[in-house]
Amino acid sequence: MRKEINFFHLKCHTDNLGQQYLLFVHDGLNYLELGNFEAAFGKTIRDGNFQGKIDILFIHPGDSWERYHLYHQDEPIHQKFLTFFHQEFFPFFNSENQGIHKIGMLGDSLAATASVSLASHCPQRFTHLLLQSAAYRPVEFLEGLNREQVHHWKVYQVVGLKEDHFESPLTGQKLDILTENRKLYNKLKQMEVRTDYYEEDEEHRWEFWRNDLVRALSYFFEK
């Protein structure tokens, strides 16, 4: 099966002497259109008086069903996506960014779980994970890892108190997203991964993640 994946590249170079950052954004088009990413990013940079070089790659997996098949850990094409990302996509952009200080991934819902999946396959490549309401079973990807492999990670994790019993509009499956995020947080603590964890009085929706985005991006640039 052949699959095309579109992406968008945002560059921000304010000072060649500052730090260098590389951020992969899954559900990239949604973050741009529904998450008002550019506005949140601009505010984060201005408020933090940032100096440095930033490359942001927005990955667009396609329509809702294409997204589901690409990001869901039980779908066969997900394994092909892991291979493509680590053998082709990541090396291409990393070769253009020597000496990067921070490399992170941002994702919402299933895209957040895909971020954990990708990071678990090559944990040494990433410094930061920004996870907004990770859906399905993200904790499973940590089972084969040890503390030494992930001790350098810094994880931002947010979930809504009203996200258990969420019904997937695609599959009709009931998802206990709050419960799964608590499992993930506890596992990260056991593995001594630095994690900033937040529970908010929110539902599983873009308004929640959009309003949270400045805090998530600030974590990546400041921690």
Side-chain angles (χ1 to χ4, degrees):
M1 180 178 182
R2 186 174 180 86
K3 163 73 174 157
E4 291 187 0
I5 300 176
N6 296 318
F7 71 92
F8 309 90
H9 189 181
L10 173 64
K11 292 185 177 183
C12 178
H13 298 176
T14 62
D15 184 353
N16 290 331
L17 299 178
Q19 291 193 337
Q20 298 184 49
Y21 302 81
L22 178 59
L23 180 64
F24 297 93
V25 181
H26 300 288
D27 273 353
L29 189 58
N30 284 342
Y31 270 103
L32 288 169
E33 295 182 347
L34 302 177
N36 291 343
F37 184 96
E38 290 179 278
F41 174 69
K43 178 175 174 52
T44 303
I45 297 304
R46 289 192 303 271
D47 291 353
N49 194 27
F50 174 83
Q51 297 294 319
K53 175 183 177 183
I54 308 168
D55 287 277
I56 304 177
L57 283 304
F58 299 88
I59 300 170
H60 177 52
D63 64 26
S64 296
W65 275 111
E66 290 175 314
R67 170 186 182 270
Y68 178 82
H69 290 301
L70 196 71
Y71 284 158
H72 196 288
Q73 59 258 51
D74 294 338
E75 294 296 316
I77 197 174
H78 180 66
Q79 295 301 318
K80 295 180 180 179
F81 175 56
L82 294 179
T83 300
F84 163 76
F85 184 91
H86 284 298
Q87 294 186 7
E88 298 182 45
F89 196 74
F90 183 96
F92 178 80
F93 288 102
N94 192 44
S95 65
E96 299 293 324
N97 293 273
Q98 298 301 320
I100 298 175
H101 297 84
K102 297 180 181 179
I103 301 178
M105 285 189 286
L106 166 67
D108 66 290
S109 190
L110 184 55
T113 300
S115 297
V116 181
S117 175
L118 287 162
S120 70
H121 279 73
C122 290
Q124 74 281 1
R125 285 184 161 175
F126 302 97
T127 61
H128 289 68
L129 297 180
L130 313 177
L131 311 176
Q132 295 183 306
S133 303
Y136 294 92
R137 307 179 306 276
V139 71
E140 291 182 357
F141 298 111
L142 302 181
E143 296 302 329
L145 301 177
N146 57 50
R147 289 183 177 88
E148 289 70 27
Q149 292 174 293
V150 297
H151 73 279
H152 62 286
W153 281 5
K154 294 180 181 178
V155 177
Y156 175 90
Q157 192 181 355
V158 67
V159 64
L161 292 170
K162 300 174 182 177
E163 292 197 73
D164 267 356
H165 313 302
F166 173 77
E167 183 174 329
S168 168
L170 283 181
T171 66
Q173 182 180 359
K174 291 290 183 66
L175 307 176
D176 289 331
I177 296 172
L178 173 60
T179 298
E180 291 298 328
N181 274 265
R182 288 173 173 172
K183 290 179 183 178
L184 176 63
Y185 174 56
N186 288 330
K187 181 65 175 179
L188 289 167
K189 284 199 301 182
Q190 292 174 13
M191 301 180 78
E192 300 177 356
V193 173
R194 176 175 176 175
T195 306
D196 281 21
Y197 176 81
Y198 301 92
E199 293 183 356
E200 305 292 353
D201 188 24
E202 294 284 355
E203 299 176 358
H204 195 73
R205 56 182 183 168
W206 263 104
E207 183 179 1
F208 171 29
W209 307 322
R210 181 172 63 246
N211 292 337
D212 177 72
L213 192 52
V214 169
R215 184 171 64 180
L217 291 174
S218 297
Y219 181 88
F220 177 62
F221 290 111
E222 297 174 4
K223 299 291 186 180

